[in-house]
Amino acid sequence: MLNTAAAYGGMAVAPHHLAAEAGGAILREGGTAVEAMVAMAAAIAVVYPHMNAIGGDGFWILAEPGREPVGIDACGAAVAAAVPELYAGHDAIPPRGPLAALTVAGTVSGWKAALDASASWGGRLPLSRLLADAIRHAGDGIAVTVGQAALTAEKLPGLKDVPGFAETFLIEGRLPAAGQRLRQPALAATLVHLARAGLDDFYRGDVARALAADLGAVGSPLRLSDLESHRPLIVRPLSARLSVGTVYNMPPPTQGVASLMILALFERLGVEAAEGFAHVHGLVEATKQAFLVRNAKVWDPAYMAEPAERFLEGPFLDRLAARIDARRALPWPQPAAPGDTVWMGAVDRHGRAVSFIQSIYWEFGSGVVSPRTGVLWQNRGISFALEEGHPNRLAPGRRPFHTLNPALARFDDGRVMTYGTMGGEGQPQTQAAVFSRYALFGQPLQAAVTAPRWLLGRTWGSDSANLKLEGRFAPALIEALREAGHDVEVVADFTDLMGHAGAIVRHPDGRLEGAADPRSDGRVAAL
């Protein structure tokens, strides 16, 4: 994948080709970027079940020409019965099983909020059409990907006894092989019902009642009242001003502020060329400074001592940048968290852009599947602490910290870029790599996505917290990083550890460029 996809009209990119096709089809029928994204979000929840589900959370950035971008926070809070005493005898919240299913799944509410917020865009396609591809794939079956087969086998010891998992994701009681057909009939029926009754039914209707009954029956603290009280939030995205334009990301409880800080700090270092020591070392050290702030200060904004905007002010960033040594690495590691997520982007024929991310946290989330609905539930709430006095201690109604952060940039020359990735701790780092290569150093978009990447710390599938570099980096660069004090580990040339990135750029003349990650099963779909 060395040639950037190009087109006029509309474009969609996703880490699975069937999700990209679902979005592309909606755009070809005259649908808006938001309508295309709802179709993609539903489809990816079916065709990439190890990474995603409608039982997770989601975040959106919507950008319409001539207007300020709008953010949608579809993050579910800890349920009313989720108190630390519930986990007496546990050192931490169990990562799998019913006790891990302790937050409301917000993403479906985000789909509705996005459709409502974009009503002025002229969307006319019925919900039944937007969910049609997802319904078909769930009912007819999907071909299990290599990644899904491998992760099912790897994670089965911790999931096989979780209620509903084996019945949903094993085939006749056996591990699925790549290429086998996996059907999800209960999920298909749920999507059909939502298409008919409306998305709000997930929270205040028949689907909500089935979810609450099923999860409660197996020991989850979630109740119907928790679903009924959930509402998504319309928020103002955070922004950082760079030399080439303005970059936007989501406010807390996401780590979007860290993604913006990395770019703003890196620009202050005055690096002049890509791919050398100064580029990689500079971004890694900027990441450390941003993560130190994030780890100490960023969680549910209702509990934060300072607003996130404070960390993007010029004097604050100047002080952090002054701490970066251009030749030596700051000792690491710091605590990190895994995450299993999908990022997707869409731009329609009118230049309206969407950056969207949806997640269930770990691969297969809590592992709990509601038998009546076929919905797999997230385990995002395990990011809460149980210790008394901890700044991120579990409390009813508290929203969990999210690694999720969709990004969007508006360039001074009129270009608009929607971009992002999955990958937990790696999301801000991959965003910085892709953006710096394309926007600051002029690399072609696909080359910026395909180029070798690095990861400081831990992400999904990895427990170590060192600096991992794909093997395609020059040996001299790898050695220079080691000599500077980085604990370097060389990994495979194209590895899932580095996330599944994607991007779309719309030029002022309406031309679109799109790039999908060769590390994923994704593609670009265009008119």
Side-chain angles (χ1 to χ4, degrees):
M1 298 183 66
L2 297 178
N3 297 316
T4 300
Y8 289 88
M11 184 173 284
V13 61
H16 193 288
H17 65 96
L18 291 177
E21 283 298 330
I26 295 299
L27 293 172
R28 284 189 285 273
E29 293 172 28
T32 68
V34 165
E35 289 177 320
M37 190 56 69
V38 170
M40 295 163 71
I44 200 81
V46 174
V47 302
Y48 235 30
H50 54 304
M51 305 299 293
N52 210 242
I54 65 173
D57 286 340
F59 296 89
W60 299 68
I61 295 180
L62 315 182
E64 184 177 8
R67 297 178 180 270
E68 285 298 305
V70 173
I72 298 172
D73 175 338
C75 164
V79 302
V83 294
E85 293 74 19
L86 179 66
Y87 299 93
H90 296 276
D91 294 330
I93 298 171
R96 307 290 195 185
L99 288 178
L102 73 150
T103 61
V104 174
T107 197
V108 173
S109 73
W111 302 357
K112 184 179 186 301
L115 291 169
D116 291 343
S118 64
S120 64
W121 293 11
R124 296 290 183 270
L125 295 177
L127 185 58
S128 59
R129 173 62 192 94
L130 303 185
L131 302 186
D133 280 28
I135 291 167
R136 184 175 72 256
H137 295 316
D140 293 347
I142 60 170
V144 173
T145 64
V146 172
Q148 180 184 340
L151 274 171
T152 306
E154 179 185 344
K155 305 301 179 182
L156 187 62
L159 289 166
K160 60 184 175 63
D161 296 324
V162 175
F165 180 84
E167 295 86 345
T168 305
F169 297 114
L170 302 186
I171 299 176
E172 296 179 352
R174 294 188 292 272
L175 285 167
Q180 268 193 290
R181 186 193 299 262
L182 176 69
R183 292 185 172 91
Q184 300 170 74
L187 181 58
T190 294
L191 292 168
V192 168
H193 181 83
L194 291 175
R196 181 176 63 251
L199 297 173
D200 197 58
D201 194 89
F202 191 93
Y203 302 94
R204 286 164 282 276
D206 292 339
V207 172
R209 286 185 282 273
L211 286 168
D214 283 355
L215 269 66
V218 297
S220 166
L222 183 138
R223 300 294 181 263
L224 179 60
S225 57
D226 298 307
L227 293 168
E228 291 175 335
S229 62
H230 170 78
R231 299 293 188 280
L233 302 176
I234 305 299
V235 298
R236 181 180 181 180
L238 297 174
S239 64
R241 178 68 189 166
L242 304 177
S243 60
V244 294
T246 301
V247 185
Y248 299 88
N249 215 302
M250 288 294 290
T254 82
Q255 65 173 338
V257 66
S259 293
L260 297 177
M261 289 176 67
I262 292 168
L263 291 174
L265 290 170
F266 177 73
E267 191 165 77
R268 283 165 165 76
L269 302 181
V271 176
E272 297 180 351
E275 309 309 334
F277 174 84
H279 182 206
V280 177
H281 173 80
L283 280 173
V284 170
E285 294 305 298
T287 297
K288 291 176 182 177
Q289 294 297 327
F291 280 7
L292 287 170
V293 173
R294 181 204 66 183
N295 293 350
K297 298 177 179 291
V298 177
W299 35 76
D300 184 337
Y303 293 80
M304 288 173 57
E306 300 173 90
E309 289 83 358
R310 164 84 173 85
F311 312 134
L312 296 170
E313 293 175 354
F316 182 84
L317 291 167
D318 291 342
R319 289 194 295 273
L320 290 188
R323 299 175 184 174
I324 295 174
D325 190 322
R327 293 182 175 86
R328 296 298 301 172
L330 181 73
W332 208 251
Q334 291 288 322
D340 286 291
T341 304
V342 293
W343 175 88
M344 300 185 292
V347 179
D348 63 29
R349 67 180 71 237
H350 299 290
R352 298 169 301 209
V354 173
S355 185
F356 172 75
I357 200 158
Q358 186 170 266
S359 174
I360 50 173
Y361 200 32
W362 286 18
E363 59 287 307
F364 291 112
S366 70
V368 176
V369 180
S370 155
R372 278 180 277 187
T373 66
V375 174
L376 170 68
W377 213 257
Q378 64 183 354
N379 64 342
R380 179 61 61 175
I382 68 171
S383 63
F384 290 120
L386 296 177
E387 309 95 274
E388 189 170 355
H390 193 285
N392 193 37
R393 192 181 192 218
L394 175 65
R398 185 165 188 169
R399 295 190 294 156
F401 171 75
H402 268 278
T403 52
L404 309 186
N405 63 116
L408 186 137
R410 282 178 164 167
F411 294 81
D412 292 341
D413 62 11
R415 287 174 293 165
V416 176
M417 179 179 182
T418 175
Y419 66 105
T421 181
M422 53 74 77
E425 192 85 345
Q427 287 182 40
Q429 302 178 63
T430 292
Q431 287 184 17
V434 171
F435 185 87
S436 64
R437 283 165 165 157
Y438 172 79
L440 304 182
F441 300 127
Q443 290 187 6
L445 189 63
Q446 185 63 63
V449 171
T450 303
R453 294 206 291 263
W454 61 89
L455 170 69
L456 174 72
R458 174 182 173 186
T459 188
W460 75 289
S462 172
D463 291 325
S464 59
N466 54 6
L467 178 62
K468 302 169 185 66
L469 277 77
E470 288 186 320
R472 293 176 291 136
F473 279 105
L477 171 60
I478 294 173
E479 184 57 31
L481 291 166
R482 284 186 171 131
E483 290 178 355
H486 293 282
D487 178 13
V488 174
E489 176 188 355
V490 178
V491 296
D493 286 357
F494 288 91
T495 172
D496 281 341
L497 286 176
M498 302 300 162
H500 297 162
I504 300 173
V505 174
R506 189 179 193 269
H507 293 260
D509 64 356
R511 178 169 55 92
L512 294 165
E513 292 181 88
D517 202 325
R519 301 165 184 83
S520 74
D521 299 302
R523 60 159 294 180
V524 174
L527 300 185

